[in-house]
Amino acid sequence: MIIEQELLHAAYALEEQTLAEIYDLYSPRLYRYAMRLLGDAQISEDCVAETFSRFLQALQAGRGPRDHLQAYLFRTAHNWIADHYRRAPEPEPLKDDLPVNGSVEESVNLNLRQKRVRAALRELTDDQQQVIALKFVEGWDNDEIARVVRKPVGAVKSLQHRALERLKKLLLDEA
Amino acid sequence: MKMDKELEPRLASLLGDLKAVPARDPRAASRARSQFLAQAVSAQGKARHSVWNIFSQKEQFAMKLITTTLVIVGLLFGGSATVAAAQEALPTSALYQIKLASEEADLAFTADPMSKVDVLMEQAQTRTQEMAMLVTQGTVPNEALLLRTQNRIQQALHQAADLNDDAAMTATLTRIREQLQTQDQQMLRLQDGSCTDCDPILQRTRDMLHTQINEVENGLADPQAFRNAYRRQNQTRTTQTPDVTGTPVPTDVTVTPQDSCTPALDGTGEQYRNGNGNPVPGTPGPQNNDGSGNGTGSGSGSENGSGSGSQTTPGGNGNQGTSPAVPGGQGGRP
């Protein structure tokens, strides 16, 4: 917490070393998060670039985060992803950079399952997507998620409950 | 895990499938990092301009008078000696800004495009020499030094692309390639284990040099495509919007070059374009108080290579609770 606040304090002075430190600390996590939700390396790079760009612009304008930098960055990234979903409603192409070392068939199946889950996530509201992704894919706890979605923990639980019900219908009932 | 109790196993398994993603391409990651830091350097320059601009607006006449007087007095009583002494200055020295300013003046007074390339590459070489001297002293060179080097190389490539004669451009690019290879060798020699803390920045510098060498190779292979790509970037830059605060960037102040004239710095010439090679469609709106808006709409291209149009204004900036810990043990600090 103290380290994060020190980083932010120096970041407002636009110190290159600090900004590089922040980038190195959070960029891999943000990329992984974007990749999990978007399934496209190039678009995920765009997401990370835009997230940090907005962060820099917010710092310049004196309107950046004063604390909870990680929550701020994930919120910004998720808003970009939700925006991307709206702008590009077509289904993602099947990727050939398959992530696992198993057989080709296994990899193809995994890829298809991922596409199906991403498609289902896109049926949820922005907040529901964020709660599900952070909780069940990234493994965050409710307090952390509450800071990202800027809602009380109770509201996070409620969002989670409704989102899971909807996902069950979309992914399990139809199967 | 806690989530397993709340989640039906089949659903947990499906969501768990999303965790398997391919590793990030290190070249793309390195390029993105360079772009962000270039933006940061540029932002720092703009911030300095803003402060100076207040003076220039309020006390323009008085400031000009004082500046002129100081310059004349400085030149009369040892100004040239100071500038000469500054030529040996390292980034840790108080005279370093004078050195950068004098380099900028050299560049401004060089009109011939071929000579300009030589001046720019000489300055890039000076930066890598400074890096070498710092490493020899056991001081870790900072990121700004790398970015200044990259800045000069990119400017040299832009100059080369402006040459209409293919033969002249090829000769210039060949010369640039030789100089970049020399610099790369110099960086390699510095990675001798005598300053292990310096290795990351030296490696990043080498990565940057390799990217620039690739650019040059591409230019040598297809001069017309190289020329078109760089000219397109120049056009894109001339049509850019002002900074996000809406404050026009002043042009009548003396600034160091690395802060004010930043061309594409990622080594790919893609700074003003998004990853798909398309002009960026939107610029985040200044009304957004945390930069995280998610509305849709259109906008003009932005310097940062991305953007998503007009945005909603969020209610706050996340100032509640305590700082989140690193979740799930993921994404350790590199």
Side-chain angles (χ1 to χ4, degrees):
Chain A
M1 175 73 170
I2 291 168
I3 291 173
E4 193 182 56
Q5 286 195 331
E6 281 173 1
L7 277 177
L8 271 173
H9 184 74
Y12 269 96
L14 299 173
E15 284 178 12
E16 291 137 35
Q17 207 76 27
T18 305
L19 290 169
E21 212 171 317
I22 289 173
Y23 187 89
D24 292 341
L25 185 59
Y26 293 109
S27 143
R29 299 176 205 174
L30 288 168
Y31 174 81
R32 206 165 32 239
Y33 179 70
M35 192 62 193
R36 284 167 174 166
L37 291 183
L38 294 162
D40 183 293
Q42 185 54 62
I43 301 173
S44 300
E45 287 290 355
D46 288 348
C47 172
V48 175
E50 177 61 15
T51 300
F52 279 100
S53 175
R54 289 181 186 184
F55 171 55
L56 196 57
Q57 288 164 358
L59 290 176
Q60 272 183 283
R63 295 188 303 241
R66 296 288 163 185
D67 50 18
H68 309 313
L69 178 56
Q70 179 171 256
Y72 168 88
L73 291 172
F74 272 80
R75 181 168 61 247
T76 307
H78 192 86
N79 285 340
W80 191 93
I81 291 167
D83 197 18
H84 175 80
Y85 279 165
R86 278 190 285 271
R87 286 196 313 263
E90 73 277 3
E92 66 201 38
L94 192 63
K95 304 301 294 180
D96 54 5
D97 51 347
L98 297 167
V100 290
N101 294 322
S103 69
V104 173
E105 188 183 352
E106 192 184 323
S107 299
V108 170
N109 283 337
L110 172 66
N111 202 263
L112 290 172
R113 286 200 303 276
Q114 286 179 331
K115 284 181 72 175
R116 203 167 141 246
V117 176
R118 286 186 194 116
L121 283 173
R122 289 172 71 159
E123 297 290 317
L124 305 179
T125 65
D126 291 353
D127 281 347
Q128 286 175 346
Q129 283 171 22
Q130 209 165 353
V131 169
I132 294 298
L134 291 174
K135 174 102 180 176
F136 299 110
V137 182
E138 301 297 319
W140 290 29
D141 65 32
N142 286 343
D143 288 338
E144 292 166 335
I145 297 168
R147 281 191 284 276
V148 177
V149 295
R150 294 192 289 210
K151 290 187 191 304
V153 172
V156 169
K157 286 179 181 168
S158 167
L159 279 168
Q160 182 186 312
H161 178 74
R162 283 198 297 273
L164 287 177
E165 287 301 312
R166 179 97 177 106
L167 282 180
K168 270 183 206 164
K169 281 198 180 77
L170 289 166
L171 290 169
L172 303 182
D173 292 354
E174 73 178 29
Chain B
M1 279 173 76
K2 188 182 167 192
M3 70 176 73
D4 292 337
K5 282 187 272 176
E6 299 164 13
L7 196 58
E8 181 163 332
R10 283 181 302 162
L11 202 50
S13 165
L14 282 170
L15 287 170
D17 282 341
L18 286 185
K19 291 179 186 172
V21 289
R24 191 176 184 184
D25 174 10
R27 281 190 62 189
S30 164
R31 203 160 49 226
R33 186 181 191 277
S34 297
Q35 275 183 334
F36 172 68
L37 294 177
Q39 253 185 290
V41 170
S42 173
Q44 212 178 29
K46 284 178 185 172
R48 277 207 293 269
H49 292 164
S50 301
V51 172
W52 180 251
N53 208 25
I54 293 168
F55 285 106
S56 65
Q57 281 171 357
K58 288 188 174 177
E59 306 287 348
Q60 211 167 33
F61 176 74
M63 287 301 290
K64 276 184 182 172
L65 189 65
I66 292 167
T67 308
T68 309
T69 311
L70 284 175
V71 168
I72 292 168
V73 170
L75 287 174
L76 284 175
F77 300 99
S80 55
T82 308
V83 171
Q87 297 314 305
E88 301 304 317
L90 289 177
T92 46
S93 159
L95 292 177
Y96 190 66
Q97 291 303 320
I98 296 174
K99 180 180 184 177
L100 294 179
S102 78
E103 285 183 356
E104 183 63 10
D106 279 350
L107 196 59
F109 287 109
T110 308
D112 175 53
M114 305 271 269
S115 307
K116 212 158 197 160
V117 171
D118 290 338
V119 171
L120 286 162
M121 289 309 293
E122 195 181 305
Q123 291 176 359
Q125 174 68 25
T126 306
R127 296 291 87 80
T128 48
Q129 278 166 356
E130 287 163 1
M131 213 177 270
M133 290 181 76
L134 287 172
V135 172
T136 311
Q137 292 173 3
T139 306
V140 180
N142 69 14
E143 203 73 31
L145 204 47
L146 189 165
L147 291 169
R148 286 185 184 117
T149 313
Q150 195 176 6
N151 178 306
R152 284 328 203 200
I153 297 167
Q154 276 287 314
Q155 285 191 49
L157 293 179
H158 274 277
Q159 285 291 329
D162 274 346
L163 298 170
N164 287 320
D165 178 28
D166 271 4
M169 192 174 94
T170 303
T172 305
L173 286 178
T174 307
R175 217 164 56 243
I176 292 175
R177 182 176 59 183
E178 281 166 16
Q179 285 164 312
L180 292 175
Q181 285 166 342
T182 306
Q183 288 174 22
D184 182 42
Q185 287 302 311
Q186 189 182 13
M187 292 296 110
L188 178 63
R189 281 195 296 276
L190 290 170
Q191 290 178 303
D192 59 359
S194 57
C195 175
T196 48
D197 288 346
C198 305
D199 278 348
I201 184 82
L202 291 173
Q203 189 53 49
R204 282 202 296 280
T205 307
R206 290 196 67 208
D207 291 344
M208 179 275 290
L209 290 169
H210 292 165
T211 310
Q212 308 294 343
I213 290 169
N214 281 340
E215 287 280 303
V216 175
E217 302 278 9
N218 292 340
L220 289 168
D222 188 347
Q224 194 52 47
F226 176 83
R227 193 177 279 129
N228 291 343
Y230 273 82
R231 285 182 179 172
R232 220 165 28 231
Q233 280 178 47
N234 285 338
Q235 284 165 4
T236 310
R237 270 184 295 164
T238 56
T239 56
Q240 275 181 69
T241 53
D243 65 359
V244 288
T245 59
T247 310
V249 178
T251 55
D252 59 344
V253 292
T254 305
V255 292
T256 50
Q258 71 282 3
D259 295 329
S260 59
C261 331
T262 311
L265 293 177
D266 62 349
T268 64
E270 293 291 322
Q271 185 173 3
Y272 304 106
R273 303 163 72 76
N274 68 15
N276 302 320
N278 299 318
V280 172
T283 303
Q287 76 279 20
N288 188 328
N289 83 338
D290 67 356
S292 60
N294 61 357
T296 56
S298 62
S300 56
S302 73
E303 187 177 354
N304 53 53
S306 52
S308 60
S310 62
Q311 300 168 12
T312 56
T313 304
N317 59 2
N319 294 341
Q320 50 194 344
T322 56
S323 175
V326 178
Q330 300 168 19
R333 194 172 181 146

